[in-house]
Amino acid sequence: MTLTHATPMSSATLDDVKRRVTAAIQANRDAIYAVGDAIYADPELGFKEVHTAERVASYFDRLGLSYRTNLGITGVKAVLDTGRPGPSVCIMGELDSIIVFDHPDANPATGAAHCCGHNCQIAGMLAAATGIIESGAIEHLSGKLVFLAVPAEEYVEIDYRSRLKQEGKLEFLGGKSELVALGEFDDVDITIMMHSGSQDRSPAKFTITGTSNGFIGKLIRYSGHPAHAGGAPDKGVNALNAAMVGLMSIHANRETFSDDDSVRVHPIITRGGDLVNVVPSDVRMETYVRGRSMEAVLRAAKKVDRALKAGAVAVGAQVEITTVPGYLPQINDSALNALFKANVLRHFSARDVNEEQHMAGSTDMGDLAHIMPVIQPSMNGSTGTFHGNDYAIADKEISYLWNGILMAETALDLLWGDGHTGTEIAANYDAPMTKEEYLAFMRGISNSEVFGDVEVL
Ligand SMILES: [Zn+2]
Ligand SMILES: [Zn+2]
């Protein structure tokens, strides 16, 4: 949607307009809480966030924003064009939940639960849109604002998503990579998102983040030979035993991972055998290999492949290792972080904001960070364990409203007047890759290798 203004920009100051944005968000508290709560109560896994996307779309309708849907299956994107040339700033939230079956608020059928707080992100993104539109701030800005709900940040159900890929419905298994490939970030220069954070972990209300790990994904399939588990195990090749040796061999490599590389390898078995009286002949695993740099990831991945093959060698099984691109390491832009922190300090004291240098988790914000400046600070309004059964939102004001206020104010800084602050930050950012280099790198990671032959001796 493009706004045209008959009147020139009024003389209100940036501070005046920020105050109007804050007031507009606070005045819409009930509607913002309602959408945040509704999404929390109806958690959906990545690329399946149909109801969540509908809620975003109907909220955009309420704001009078035009938008496009079904981007990367479930993404929703609204563009608010000031009609004046300038940079384009994306305020983003993530649509998806995870699975924690024993969380009290999990969907009993799917196990889906918002234990990573992404419902707070969507509430915050919608709050920011509300504040900017209803305050009339847009008349003071140049460039564009993009309000984007992205699918599938959690990199899960690798098997299911790989099938979507085979069916041609996806190229990448994470939402932001997919939207980059689809060109949905071509009209974006800077992206801002805030993630939920835990009060248990940080006494500060907000955390400014530095870097975090990247990773690749692996799908592993051990093939053996079925036989009667009691009567004739000597005629079989036990694929579960091969997987056990593979896992132990990965553990045997852990002491070789350098502390500086922040490597994490955390495999799961997704199929461990079919019938208890049949020697398992089809055993499947998934794992991530994470690290602080992609060099560290790829080095650790070689050791993981070597270890997995050892399992096949030990019992005469075959292993197929399929490597899929995951996420690149996150880099938060220091200039954007400085703007964000100054906005926190407009409302809160210095003890309400802290800084973290490196986190071993991963996010596909890292992929965006390789092609444009981004930040992903956290609003620490949750308690309990992220991805755990005691995760809870303790402070909705921080989780639903203040993220919206702070993202909106930072966007105002970037687009104020002729948008020179945003233009400068985008121009000064030393992006590690172009979009084309990024896509080529990601496509180059995909690989499938079959090792060994099933051998009954
Ligand atoms: Zn998560
Ligand atoms: Zn998350």
Side-chain angles (χ1 to χ4, degrees):
M1 142 170 152
T2 304
L3 300 179
T4 49
H5 302 281
T7 49
M9 292 187 191
S10 70
S11 59
T13 66
L14 177 55
D15 264 5
D16 294 337
V17 177
K18 284 183 176 179
R19 273 192 286 276
R20 289 196 334 234
V21 167
T22 303
I25 291 173
Q26 287 172 332
N28 282 277
R29 173 187 309 254
D30 291 350
I32 295 162
Y33 279 24
V35 71
D37 287 348
I39 294 171
Y40 180 82
D42 188 7
E44 298 171 298
L45 288 173
F47 297 121
K48 300 174 181 171
E49 312 99 323
V50 175
H51 298 161
T52 313
E54 285 168 3
R55 289 189 169 96
V56 171
S58 66
Y59 198 101
F60 282 159
D61 282 334
R62 176 181 174 275
L63 291 176
L65 273 171
S66 54
Y67 54 87
R68 290 163 48 243
T69 58
N70 305 114
L71 311 173
I73 302 183
T74 48
V76 187
K77 178 181 177 183
V79 180
L80 183 58
D81 190 339
T82 65
R84 286 177 283 272
S88 172
V89 173
C90 175
I91 295 179
M92 189 162 64
E94 295 163 342
L95 292 160
D96 60 328
S97 70
I98 54 158
I99 291 183
V100 179
F101 263 102
D102 61 349
H103 191 279
D105 297 323
N107 178 313
T110 64
H114 267 297
C115 301
C116 204
H118 294 186
N119 63 307
C120 306
Q121 299 178 12
I122 297 288
M125 182 271 286
L126 296 173
T130 305
I132 289 169
I133 291 169
E134 299 208 346
S135 65
I138 203 81
E139 73 164 302
H140 304 281
L141 309 179
S142 294
K144 287 182 198 164
L145 279 149
V146 176
F147 300 105
L148 181 60
V150 289
E153 186 276 332
E154 305 286 356
Y155 193 97
V156 296
E157 297 190 302
I158 299 176
D159 211 23
Y160 165 74
R161 293 182 191 179
S162 297
R163 281 202 302 281
L164 292 179
K165 184 176 175 178
Q166 281 161 14
E167 292 164 11
K169 293 174 181 158
L170 282 180
E171 180 180 0
F172 292 103
L173 308 194
K176 296 182 195 69
S177 312
E178 184 67 8
L179 293 194
V180 169
L182 291 171
E184 294 298 340
F185 285 100
D186 289 357
D187 59 351
V188 174
D189 299 310
I190 294 170
T191 298
I192 303 170
M193 193 181 79
M194 289 186 68
H195 198 287
S196 297
S198 174
Q199 293 178 345
D200 305 347
R201 183 175 161 154
S202 166
K205 290 185 168 66
F206 304 97
T207 300
I208 289 168
T209 51
T211 54
S212 61
N213 274 356
F215 77 96
I216 57 175
K218 285 186 181 286
L219 289 168
I220 301 122
R221 179 178 182 172
Y222 282 101
S223 299
H225 189 70
H228 195 295
D234 54 305
K235 300 285 189 290
V237 173
N238 191 320
L240 182 60
N241 286 341
M244 293 298 116
V245 175
L247 287 171
M248 290 314 297
S249 304
I250 290 172
H251 298 329
N253 278 278
R254 291 191 190 278
E255 67 184 23
T256 72
F257 299 146
S258 146
D259 290 349
D260 292 340
D261 284 343
S262 223
V263 169
R264 300 282 189 276
V265 184
H266 40 90
I268 58 168
I269 293 179
T270 54
R271 182 171 180 171
D274 298 306
L275 284 176
V276 70
N277 60 356
V278 178
V279 170
S281 61
D282 181 355
V283 169
R284 302 185 195 193
M285 297 172 20
E286 292 180 7
T287 192
Y288 288 5
V289 182
R290 305 190 199 238
R292 187 186 281 259
S293 67
M294 287 314 286
E295 293 73 32
V297 169
L298 296 174
R299 192 162 51 241
K302 272 191 186 173
K303 297 177 184 176
V304 168
D305 287 356
R306 190 173 68 188
L308 292 169
K309 290 173 186 171
V313 169
V315 301
Q318 183 179 72
V319 63
E320 180 179 5
I321 305 168
T322 302
T323 302
V324 289
Y327 299 156
L328 300 190
Q330 163 72 329
I331 313 153
N332 285 280
D333 182 58
S334 55
L336 281 176
N337 266 343
L339 285 182
F340 175 85
K341 185 173 181 178
N343 284 316
V344 174
L345 295 176
R346 292 181 70 246
H347 304 280
F348 298 91
S349 74
R351 83 173 75 90
D352 292 320
V353 55
N354 65 357
E355 298 189 22
E356 278 196 358
Q357 297 307 314
H358 183 77
M359 291 191 291
S362 309
T363 166
D364 50 0
M365 277 300 265
D367 294 66
L368 288 185
H370 278 67
I371 59 175
M372 71 178 72
V374 307
I375 49 167
Q376 183 180 276
S378 67
M379 63 288 185
N380 305 324
S382 302
T383 55
T385 312
F386 277 68
H387 295 201
N389 62 5
D390 61 346
Y391 171 87
I393 298 168
D395 185 338
K396 285 188 190 172
E397 187 142 348
I398 293 290
S399 301
Y400 288 172
L401 292 191
W402 276 104
N403 48 343
I405 292 167
L406 295 168
M407 288 193 293
E409 290 188 345
T410 305
L412 257 54
D413 288 328
L414 295 166
L415 300 181
W416 185 256
D418 61 1
H420 63 274
T421 303
T423 303
E424 263 171 40
I425 285 180
N428 290 340
Y429 187 63
D430 187 14
M433 295 176 177
T434 63
K435 174 190 163 185
E436 289 69 31
E437 287 167 346
Y438 163 73
L439 290 173
F441 178 79
M442 294 293 275
R443 287 168 182 149
I445 287 172
S446 296
N447 177 48
S448 193
E449 180 182 4
V450 177
F451 177 84
D453 291 307
V454 178
E455 188 179 37
V456 184
L457 294 182

